[in-house]
Amino acid sequence: QQQVKQSPQSLIVQKGGISIINCAYENTAFDYFPWYQQFPGKGPALLIAIRPDVSEKKEGRFTISFNKSAKQFSLHIMDSQPGDSATYFCAASSRRRARDDKIIFGKGTRLHILP
Amino acid sequence: DAGVTQSPTHLIKTRGQQVTLRCSPKSGHDTVSWYQQALGQGPQFIFQYYEEEERQRGNFPDRFSGHQFPNYSSELNVNALLLGDSALYLCASSFGTGGYGYTFGSGTRLTVV
Protein backbone atom coordinates (compact mmCIF):
# COMPACT_ATOMS: atom_id res chain seq x y z
CA GLN A 1 0.00 0.00 0.00
CA GLN A 2 1.55 3.23 -1.18
CA GLN A 3 0.69 6.02 1.22
CA VAL A 4 2.16 8.84 -0.90
CA LYS A 5 1.57 8.75 -4.65
CA GLN A 6 3.70 10.98 -6.85
CA SER A 7 3.44 11.95 -10.52
CA PRO A 8 4.83 12.21 -13.08
CA GLN A 9 7.69 9.70 -12.94
CA SER A 10 9.78 11.89 -15.21
CA LEU A 11 9.51 15.44 -16.48
CA ILE A 12 11.32 17.47 -19.12
CA VAL A 13 11.03 21.26 -18.99
CA GLN A 14 12.64 24.02 -21.00
CA LYS A 15 14.95 26.42 -19.19
CA GLY A 16 12.88 29.25 -17.77
CA GLY A 17 9.70 27.20 -17.70
CA ILE A 18 7.59 26.03 -14.76
CA SER A 19 8.09 22.51 -13.41
CA ILE A 20 5.08 21.01 -11.62
CA ILE A 21 5.14 17.79 -9.60
CA ASN A 22 2.04 16.41 -7.93
CA CYS A 23 1.47 14.22 -4.89
CA ALA A 24 -1.51 12.65 -3.17
CA TYR A 25 -1.71 11.08 0.25
CA GLU A 26 -4.18 8.80 2.01
CA ASN A 27 -3.42 8.98 5.72
CA THR A 28 -5.24 11.94 7.28
CA ALA A 29 -2.91 11.69 10.30
CA PHE A 30 -0.09 13.15 8.19
CA ASP A 31 0.65 16.70 9.32
CA TYR A 32 4.02 17.49 7.76
CA PHE A 33 4.74 17.46 4.03
CA PRO A 34 8.35 17.98 2.93
CA TRP A 35 9.86 17.91 -0.51
CA TYR A 36 13.35 16.50 -1.00
CA GLN A 37 15.81 17.01 -3.84
CA GLN A 38 18.34 14.30 -4.66
CA PHE A 39 21.30 14.52 -7.00
CA PRO A 40 23.08 11.39 -8.28
CA GLY A 41 25.38 9.91 -5.66
CA LYS A 42 23.94 12.04 -2.89
CA GLY A 43 21.35 11.62 -0.20
CA PRO A 44 18.04 13.52 -0.33
CA ALA A 45 18.19 17.12 0.87
CA LEU A 46 15.21 19.00 2.29
CA LEU A 47 14.00 21.59 -0.21
CA ILE A 48 10.83 23.03 1.27
CA ALA A 49 8.07 21.80 3.60
CA ILE A 50 4.50 22.69 4.51
CA ARG A 51 2.02 21.96 7.28
CA PRO A 52 -1.69 21.39 6.50
CA ASP A 53 -2.86 24.61 8.17
CA VAL A 54 -1.57 26.68 5.23
CA SER A 55 -2.48 26.39 1.55
CA GLU A 56 0.73 27.70 0.04
CA LYS A 57 4.35 28.23 0.96
CA LYS A 58 6.93 29.96 -1.19
CA GLU A 59 10.71 29.96 -0.85
CA GLY A 60 12.51 31.62 -3.71
CA ARG A 61 11.61 29.86 -6.95
CA PHE A 62 10.00 26.94 -5.10
CA THR A 63 6.32 26.90 -4.07
CA ILE A 64 4.24 24.21 -2.40
CA SER A 65 0.49 24.31 -2.96
CA PHE A 66 -1.57 22.27 -0.51
CA ASN A 67 -5.20 21.12 -0.82
CA LYS A 68 -6.25 19.48 2.45
CA SER A 69 -9.75 18.48 1.33
CA ALA A 70 -8.41 16.73 -1.77
CA LYS A 71 -5.41 15.32 0.13
CA GLN A 72 -3.12 16.60 -2.57
CA PHE A 73 -0.06 18.83 -2.69
CA SER A 74 2.26 19.97 -5.42
CA LEU A 75 5.67 21.51 -6.00
CA HIS A 76 6.09 24.32 -8.49
CA ILE A 77 9.56 25.35 -9.64
CA MET A 78 9.44 28.72 -11.34
CA ASP A 79 12.05 29.84 -13.89
CA SER A 80 13.48 26.30 -13.96
CA GLN A 81 17.24 26.11 -14.45
CA PRO A 82 19.54 23.30 -15.65
CA GLY A 83 20.94 23.10 -12.11
CA ASP A 84 17.46 22.06 -10.94
CA SER A 85 17.83 18.79 -12.85
CA ALA A 86 17.54 16.15 -10.12
CA THR A 87 15.10 13.67 -8.63
CA TYR A 88 12.41 15.17 -6.44
CA PHE A 89 10.52 13.30 -3.74
CA CYS A 90 7.39 14.36 -1.97
CA ALA A 91 6.99 12.95 1.51
CA ALA A 92 4.74 12.98 4.53
CA SER A 93 4.90 12.24 8.23
CA SER A 94 2.79 12.45 11.35
CA ARG A 95 3.99 14.38 14.40
CA ARG A 96 1.20 13.37 16.73
CA ARG A 97 3.26 10.59 18.30
CA ALA A 98 7.02 10.31 18.36
CA ARG A 99 6.69 6.64 17.45
CA ASP A 100 4.84 7.50 14.23
CA ASP A 101 6.99 10.34 12.95
CA LYS A 102 8.84 8.40 10.25
CA ILE A 103 8.93 10.09 6.85
CA ILE A 104 7.10 8.28 4.06
CA PHE A 105 8.43 9.05 0.59
CA GLY A 106 6.82 9.03 -2.84
CA LYS A 107 8.51 7.16 -5.66
CA GLY A 108 10.17 10.26 -7.05
CA THR A 109 10.13 12.42 -10.18
CA ARG A 110 13.19 12.65 -12.35
CA LEU A 111 13.31 16.25 -13.59
CA HIS A 112 15.43 17.32 -16.55
CA ILE A 113 15.71 20.97 -17.51
CA LEU A 114 16.75 21.56 -21.11
CA PRO A 115 19.36 24.33 -21.54
CA ASP B 1 30.11 21.38 11.00
CA ALA B 2 30.10 17.84 9.64
CA GLY B 3 26.84 16.50 8.38
CA VAL B 4 25.82 12.86 8.47
CA THR B 5 28.71 10.54 7.71
CA GLN B 6 28.20 7.03 6.40
CA SER B 7 30.73 4.29 5.80
CA PRO B 8 31.65 2.56 3.67
CA THR B 9 30.50 4.38 0.53
CA HIS B 10 30.40 1.23 -1.58
CA LEU B 11 30.31 -2.45 -0.70
CA ILE B 12 30.06 -5.70 -2.62
CA LYS B 13 28.91 -8.83 -0.79
CA THR B 14 27.97 -12.38 -1.74
CA ARG B 15 24.54 -13.89 -1.16
CA GLY B 16 24.24 -15.34 2.32
CA GLN B 17 26.88 -13.09 3.84
CA GLN B 18 26.36 -10.54 6.56
CA VAL B 19 27.06 -6.80 6.32
CA THR B 20 27.39 -3.90 8.77
CA LEU B 21 26.89 -0.29 7.72
CA ARG B 22 27.83 2.64 9.90
CA CYS B 23 26.45 6.12 10.46
CA SER B 24 27.64 9.13 12.44
CA PRO B 25 24.85 11.68 12.93
CA LYS B 26 25.11 15.40 12.45
CA SER B 27 26.47 17.24 15.46
CA GLY B 28 23.68 17.94 17.93
CA HIS B 29 21.38 15.23 16.58
CA ASP B 30 20.36 12.28 18.73
CA THR B 31 17.98 10.30 16.53
CA VAL B 32 19.04 8.09 13.64
CA SER B 33 16.77 6.61 10.98
CA TRP B 34 17.76 4.13 8.29
CA TYR B 35 16.25 3.93 4.82
CA GLN B 36 16.67 1.57 1.88
CA GLN B 37 16.51 3.11 -1.59
CA ALA B 38 16.27 0.69 -4.48
CA LEU B 39 17.31 1.94 -7.90
CA GLY B 40 14.72 4.34 -9.30
CA GLN B 41 12.58 4.22 -6.15
CA GLY B 42 11.93 6.42 -3.15
CA PRO B 43 13.60 5.67 0.18
CA GLN B 44 11.83 3.03 2.28
CA PHE B 45 11.93 3.34 6.08
CA ILE B 46 13.74 0.50 7.84
CA PHE B 47 13.88 1.61 11.48
CA GLN B 48 14.69 4.47 13.81
CA TYR B 49 16.86 4.62 16.91
CA TYR B 50 16.53 7.02 19.82
CA GLU B 51 18.18 6.74 23.23
CA GLU B 52 19.87 3.52 22.08
CA GLU B 53 16.54 1.80 21.46
CA GLU B 54 14.60 0.95 18.31
CA ARG B 55 11.64 3.32 18.44
CA GLN B 56 9.96 2.58 15.12
CA ARG B 57 10.28 -0.13 12.52
CA GLY B 58 9.14 -0.36 8.92
CA ASN B 59 8.10 -3.45 7.00
CA PHE B 60 11.49 -5.16 6.89
CA PRO B 61 12.35 -8.72 8.00
CA ASP B 62 14.28 -9.52 11.14
CA ARG B 63 17.39 -10.02 9.01
CA PHE B 64 17.68 -6.26 9.30
CA SER B 65 18.83 -5.17 12.73
CA GLY B 66 20.50 -2.15 14.18
CA HIS B 67 22.16 -0.55 17.11
CA GLN B 68 22.72 2.91 18.49
CA PHE B 69 25.71 3.74 20.64
CA PRO B 70 25.94 6.23 23.53
CA ASN B 71 27.57 8.78 21.19
CA TYR B 72 24.42 8.54 18.98
CA SER B 73 26.22 6.81 16.11
CA SER B 74 24.45 3.81 14.66
CA GLU B 75 24.96 0.56 12.80
CA LEU B 76 22.71 -1.29 10.39
CA ASN B 77 23.27 -5.04 10.14
CA VAL B 78 21.83 -7.26 7.45
CA ASN B 79 22.14 -11.05 7.76
CA ALA B 80 21.75 -13.74 5.09
CA LEU B 81 22.01 -11.26 2.24
CA LEU B 82 19.73 -11.68 -0.75
CA LEU B 83 20.19 -10.28 -4.24
CA GLY B 84 17.17 -8.06 -3.55
CA ASP B 85 19.03 -6.36 -0.72
CA SER B 86 21.14 -4.53 -3.31
CA ALA B 87 20.32 -0.85 -2.80
CA LEU B 88 21.50 2.49 -1.50
CA TYR B 89 21.23 2.53 2.29
CA LEU B 90 20.64 5.99 3.69
CA CYS B 91 21.07 7.19 7.22
CA ALA B 92 19.21 10.27 8.40
CA SER B 93 19.72 12.05 11.69
CA SER B 94 17.48 14.47 13.54
CA PHE B 95 17.03 15.96 16.98
CA GLY B 96 14.39 14.46 19.22
CA THR B 97 10.99 13.62 17.87
CA GLY B 98 9.35 14.55 14.63
CA GLY B 99 10.47 14.45 11.02
CA TYR B 100 11.62 18.04 11.18
CA GLY B 101 15.21 18.65 10.32
CA TYR B 102 16.07 15.26 8.91
CA THR B 103 19.58 15.39 7.48
CA PHE B 104 20.55 12.55 5.18
CA GLY B 105 23.98 11.13 4.53
CA SER B 106 25.16 10.26 1.03
CA GLY B 107 24.49 6.61 1.66
CA THR B 108 26.22 3.26 1.29
CA ARG B 109 25.77 1.53 -2.05
CA LEU B 110 25.44 -2.21 -1.32
CA THR B 111 25.68 -4.69 -4.16
CA VAL B 112 24.90 -8.34 -3.48
CA VAL B 113 26.20 -10.81 -6.06
Side-chain angles (χ1 to χ4, degrees), chain B residues 72-110:
Chain B
Y72 308 119
S73 66
S74 177
E75 289 182 349
L76 165 64
N77 301 291
V78 186
N79 295 321
L81 285 166
L82 303 174
L83 294 179
D85 295 331
S86 295
L88 180 67
Y89 287 84
L90 295 163
C91 170
S93 72
S94 57
F95 176 72
T97 62
Y100 295 117
Y102 264 43
T103 300
F104 281 85
S106 293
T108 293
R109 172 70 63 187
L110 172 66

Short mmCIF file of all heavy atoms in Angstrom, two decimals, chain B residues 72-110:
data_model
loop_
_atom_site.label_atom_id
_atom_site.label_comp_id
_atom_site.label_asym_id
_atom_site.label_seq_id
_atom_site.Cartn_x
_atom_site.Cartn_y
_atom_site.Cartn_z
N TYR B 72 25.51 8.37 19.96
CA TYR B 72 24.42 8.54 18.98
C TYR B 72 24.72 7.92 17.62
O TYR B 72 23.83 7.86 16.77
CB TYR B 72 24.01 10.00 18.79
CG TYR B 72 23.70 10.71 20.09
CD1 TYR B 72 24.43 11.82 20.49
CD2 TYR B 72 22.69 10.25 20.93
CE1 TYR B 72 24.17 12.46 21.69
CE2 TYR B 72 22.42 10.88 22.13
CZ TYR B 72 23.16 11.98 22.50
OH TYR B 72 22.90 12.61 23.69
N SER B 73 25.94 7.47 17.37
CA SER B 73 26.22 6.81 16.11
C SER B 73 25.44 5.50 16.04
O SER B 73 24.93 5.01 17.07
CB SER B 73 27.71 6.54 15.94
OG SER B 73 28.16 5.59 16.90
N SER B 74 25.32 4.97 14.83
CA SER B 74 24.45 3.81 14.66
C SER B 74 25.03 2.84 13.64
O SER B 74 25.86 3.21 12.79
CB SER B 74 23.07 4.28 14.19
OG SER B 74 22.20 3.19 13.94
N GLU B 75 24.62 1.60 13.76
CA GLU B 75 24.96 0.56 12.80
C GLU B 75 23.70 -0.09 12.27
O GLU B 75 22.71 -0.24 13.00
CB GLU B 75 25.84 -0.51 13.45
CG GLU B 75 27.26 -0.08 13.76
CD GLU B 75 28.08 -1.20 14.35
OE1 GLU B 75 27.48 -2.25 14.71
OE2 GLU B 75 29.30 -1.04 14.45
N LEU B 76 23.75 -0.48 11.01
CA LEU B 76 22.71 -1.29 10.39
C LEU B 76 23.36 -2.62 10.01
O LEU B 76 24.38 -2.64 9.33
CB LEU B 76 22.16 -0.59 9.15
CG LEU B 76 21.33 -1.43 8.17
CD1 LEU B 76 20.05 -1.92 8.83
CD2 LEU B 76 21.01 -0.64 6.91
N ASN B 77 22.78 -3.70 10.46
CA ASN B 77 23.27 -5.04 10.14
C ASN B 77 22.23 -5.77 9.30
O ASN B 77 21.04 -5.71 9.60
CB ASN B 77 23.52 -5.85 11.42
CG ASN B 77 24.53 -5.18 12.33
OD1 ASN B 77 25.71 -5.12 12.02
ND2 ASN B 77 24.06 -4.65 13.45
N VAL B 78 22.71 -6.43 8.26
CA VAL B 78 21.83 -7.26 7.45
C VAL B 78 22.45 -8.64 7.37
O VAL B 78 23.59 -8.80 6.95
CB VAL B 78 21.62 -6.69 6.03
CG1 VAL B 78 20.57 -7.52 5.30
CG2 VAL B 78 21.21 -5.23 6.08
N ASN B 79 21.69 -9.66 7.80
CA ASN B 79 22.14 -11.05 7.76
C ASN B 79 21.58 -11.77 6.54
O ASN B 79 20.57 -11.35 5.96
CB ASN B 79 21.70 -11.79 9.02
CG ASN B 79 22.34 -11.23 10.26
OD1 ASN B 79 23.53 -10.88 10.26
ND2 ASN B 79 21.57 -11.13 11.34
N ALA B 80 22.24 -12.87 6.17
CA ALA B 80 21.75 -13.74 5.09
C ALA B 80 21.35 -12.93 3.86
O ALA B 80 20.19 -12.98 3.42
CB ALA B 80 20.58 -14.57 5.60
N LEU B 81 22.29 -12.18 3.34
CA LEU B 81 22.01 -11.26 2.24
C LEU B 81 21.37 -11.95 1.04
O LEU B 81 21.76 -13.07 0.65
CB LEU B 81 23.30 -10.57 1.81
CG LEU B 81 23.81 -9.47 2.74
CD1 LEU B 81 25.25 -9.10 2.39
CD2 LEU B 81 22.89 -8.26 2.68
N LEU B 82 20.40 -11.25 0.47
CA LEU B 82 19.73 -11.68 -0.75
C LEU B 82 20.08 -10.70 -1.87
O LEU B 82 20.45 -9.55 -1.62
CB LEU B 82 18.21 -11.69 -0.54
CG LEU B 82 17.68 -12.55 0.61
CD1 LEU B 82 16.17 -12.32 0.77
CD2 LEU B 82 17.98 -14.00 0.38
N LEU B 83 19.92 -11.16 -3.11
CA LEU B 83 20.19 -10.28 -4.24
C LEU B 83 19.33 -9.02 -4.15
O LEU B 83 19.76 -7.92 -4.50
CB LEU B 83 19.91 -11.01 -5.56
CG LEU B 83 20.82 -12.19 -5.89
CD1 LEU B 83 20.40 -12.81 -7.23
CD2 LEU B 83 22.28 -11.78 -5.93
N GLY B 84 18.11 -9.18 -3.66
CA GLY B 84 17.17 -8.06 -3.55
C GLY B 84 17.55 -7.04 -2.50
O GLY B 84 16.92 -5.98 -2.42
N ASP B 85 18.57 -7.33 -1.71
CA ASP B 85 19.03 -6.36 -0.72
C ASP B 85 19.95 -5.31 -1.35
O ASP B 85 20.33 -4.34 -0.69
CB ASP B 85 19.78 -7.07 0.42
CG ASP B 85 18.88 -7.98 1.23
OD1 ASP B 85 17.66 -7.68 1.32
OD2 ASP B 85 19.39 -8.97 1.78
N SER B 86 20.30 -5.51 -2.60
CA SER B 86 21.14 -4.53 -3.31
C SER B 86 20.39 -3.20 -3.39
O SER B 86 19.27 -3.13 -3.92
CB SER B 86 21.46 -5.03 -4.72
OG SER B 86 22.26 -6.19 -4.67
N ALA B 87 20.99 -2.15 -2.86
CA ALA B 87 20.32 -0.85 -2.80
C ALA B 87 21.28 0.18 -2.22
O ALA B 87 22.38 -0.15 -1.79
CB ALA B 87 19.07 -0.94 -1.92
N LEU B 88 20.81 1.41 -2.20
CA LEU B 88 21.50 2.49 -1.50
C LEU B 88 20.89 2.57 -0.10
O LEU B 88 19.68 2.70 0.04
CB LEU B 88 21.31 3.81 -2.24
CG LEU B 88 21.98 5.05 -1.62
CD1 LEU B 88 23.50 4.94 -1.70
CD2 LEU B 88 21.49 6.32 -2.32
N TYR B 89 21.71 2.46 0.91
CA TYR B 89 21.23 2.53 2.29
C TYR B 89 21.56 3.92 2.85
O TYR B 89 22.72 4.32 2.90
CB TYR B 89 21.83 1.42 3.13
CG TYR B 89 21.24 0.08 2.77
CD1 TYR B 89 21.74 -0.66 1.70
CD2 TYR B 89 20.13 -0.41 3.45
CE1 TYR B 89 21.16 -1.86 1.32
CE2 TYR B 89 19.54 -1.61 3.09
CZ TYR B 89 20.06 -2.33 2.01
OH TYR B 89 19.47 -3.52 1.64
N LEU B 90 20.52 4.61 3.23
CA LEU B 90 20.64 5.99 3.69
C LEU B 90 20.43 6.07 5.19
O LEU B 90 19.53 5.43 5.74
CB LEU B 90 19.61 6.87 2.99
CG LEU B 90 19.76 7.04 1.48
CD1 LEU B 90 18.48 7.57 0.87
CD2 LEU B 90 20.92 7.98 1.17
N CYS B 91 21.24 6.88 5.81
CA CYS B 91 21.07 7.19 7.22
C CYS B 91 20.63 8.64 7.32
O CYS B 91 21.16 9.51 6.60
CB CYS B 91 22.40 6.98 7.95
SG CYS B 91 22.44 7.60 9.65
N ALA B 92 19.66 8.91 8.16
CA ALA B 92 19.21 10.27 8.40
C ALA B 92 19.25 10.54 9.90
O ALA B 92 18.86 9.68 10.70
CB ALA B 92 17.79 10.47 7.87
N SER B 93 19.72 11.71 10.27
CA SER B 93 19.72 12.05 11.69
C SER B 93 18.82 13.26 11.92
O SER B 93 18.54 14.04 11.01
CB SER B 93 21.13 12.32 12.19
OG SER B 93 21.64 13.55 11.69
N SER B 94 18.34 13.36 13.16
CA SER B 94 17.48 14.47 13.54
C SER B 94 17.60 14.65 15.05
O SER B 94 18.22 13.83 15.74
CB SER B 94 16.03 14.22 13.14
OG SER B 94 15.56 13.02 13.71
N PHE B 95 16.98 15.72 15.55
CA PHE B 95 17.03 15.96 16.98
C PHE B 95 15.66 15.66 17.57
O PHE B 95 14.65 16.24 17.15
CB PHE B 95 17.41 17.41 17.28
CG PHE B 95 17.39 17.72 18.75
CD1 PHE B 95 18.36 17.21 19.59
CD2 PHE B 95 16.38 18.49 19.30
CE1 PHE B 95 18.33 17.47 20.96
CE2 PHE B 95 16.34 18.77 20.66
CZ PHE B 95 17.32 18.25 21.49
N GLY B 96 15.62 14.76 18.52
CA GLY B 96 14.39 14.46 19.22
C GLY B 96 13.34 13.86 18.32
O GLY B 96 13.62 13.12 17.39
N THR B 97 12.09 14.22 18.59
CA THR B 97 10.99 13.62 17.87
C THR B 97 10.62 14.44 16.64
O THR B 97 11.06 15.57 16.48
CB THR B 97 9.75 13.53 18.78
OG1 THR B 97 9.37 14.84 19.15
CG2 THR B 97 10.05 12.71 20.02
N GLY B 98 9.83 13.84 15.79
CA GLY B 98 9.35 14.55 14.63
C GLY B 98 10.24 14.41 13.42
O GLY B 98 11.41 14.13 13.54
N GLY B 99 9.67 14.55 12.25
CA GLY B 99 10.47 14.45 11.02
C GLY B 99 11.09 15.77 10.64
O GLY B 99 11.68 15.89 9.58
N TYR B 100 10.97 16.78 11.49
CA TYR B 100 11.62 18.04 11.18
C TYR B 100 13.12 17.86 11.16
O TYR B 100 13.68 17.13 11.96
CB TYR B 100 11.29 19.09 12.25
CG TYR B 100 9.86 19.50 12.35
CD1 TYR B 100 9.13 19.26 13.51
CD2 TYR B 100 9.23 20.15 11.31
CE1 TYR B 100 7.81 19.65 13.62
CE2 TYR B 100 7.90 20.54 11.41
CZ TYR B 100 7.21 20.29 12.56
OH TYR B 100 5.89 20.67 12.67
N GLY B 101 13.76 18.56 10.26
CA GLY B 101 15.21 18.65 10.32
C GLY B 101 15.96 17.37 10.04
O GLY B 101 17.08 17.20 10.49
N TYR B 102 15.33 16.45 9.31
CA TYR B 102 16.07 15.26 8.91
C TYR B 102 17.23 15.68 8.02
O TYR B 102 17.05 16.41 7.06
CB TYR B 102 15.17 14.34 8.07
CG TYR B 102 14.48 13.22 8.82
CD1 TYR B 102 13.89 13.41 10.05
CD2 TYR B 102 14.39 11.96 8.24
CE1 TYR B 102 13.25 12.38 10.71
CE2 TYR B 102 13.75 10.92 8.88
CZ TYR B 102 13.17 11.13 10.11
OH TYR B 102 12.54 10.11 10.75
N THR B 103 18.42 15.19 8.33
CA THR B 103 19.58 15.39 7.48
C THR B 103 20.06 14.02 7.02
O THR B 103 20.34 13.16 7.87
CB THR B 103 20.70 16.13 8.22
OG1 THR B 103 20.23 17.41 8.65
CG2 THR B 103 21.90 16.32 7.31
N PHE B 104 20.14 13.84 5.73
CA PHE B 104 20.55 12.55 5.18
C PHE B 104 22.05 12.54 4.86
O PHE B 104 22.63 13.55 4.46
CB PHE B 104 19.80 12.24 3.88
CG PHE B 104 18.40 11.75 4.10
CD1 PHE B 104 17.36 12.63 4.27
CD2 PHE B 104 18.14 10.39 4.13
CE1 PHE B 104 16.06 12.17 4.47
CE2 PHE B 104 16.85 9.91 4.33
CZ PHE B 104 15.80 10.82 4.50
N GLY B 105 22.63 11.36 5.03
CA GLY B 105 23.98 11.13 4.53
C GLY B 105 23.93 10.79 3.05
O GLY B 105 22.84 10.71 2.46
N SER B 106 25.10 10.60 2.46
CA SER B 106 25.16 10.26 1.03
C SER B 106 24.93 8.78 0.76
O SER B 106 24.80 8.39 -0.40
CB SER B 106 26.50 10.68 0.45
OG SER B 106 26.62 12.09 0.45
N GLY B 107 24.87 8.00 1.82
CA GLY B 107 24.49 6.61 1.66
C GLY B 107 25.64 5.64 1.45
O GLY B 107 26.78 6.03 1.16
N THR B 108 25.31 4.37 1.60
CA THR B 108 26.22 3.26 1.29
C THR B 108 25.57 2.46 0.17
O THR B 108 24.44 2.00 0.31
CB THR B 108 26.45 2.35 2.50
OG1 THR B 108 27.15 3.06 3.51
CG2 THR B 108 27.25 1.11 2.09
N ARG B 109 26.28 2.33 -0.93
CA ARG B 109 25.77 1.53 -2.05
C ARG B 109 26.18 0.08 -1.83
O ARG B 109 27.35 -0.26 -1.90
CB ARG B 109 26.34 2.04 -3.38
CG ARG B 109 26.04 1.17 -4.58
CD ARG B 109 24.58 1.21 -4.97
NE ARG B 109 24.14 2.54 -5.39
CZ ARG B 109 22.88 2.85 -5.65
NH1 ARG B 109 21.94 1.93 -5.54
NH2 ARG B 109 22.57 4.07 -6.03
N LEU B 110 25.18 -0.79 -1.55
CA LEU B 110 25.44 -2.21 -1.32
C LEU B 110 25.04 -3.00 -2.55
O LEU B 110 23.91 -2.87 -3.05
CB LEU B 110 24.65 -2.71 -0.11
CG LEU B 110 24.66 -4.22 0.13
CD1 LEU B 110 26.07 -4.69 0.49
CD2 LEU B 110 23.68 -4.60 1.23
#
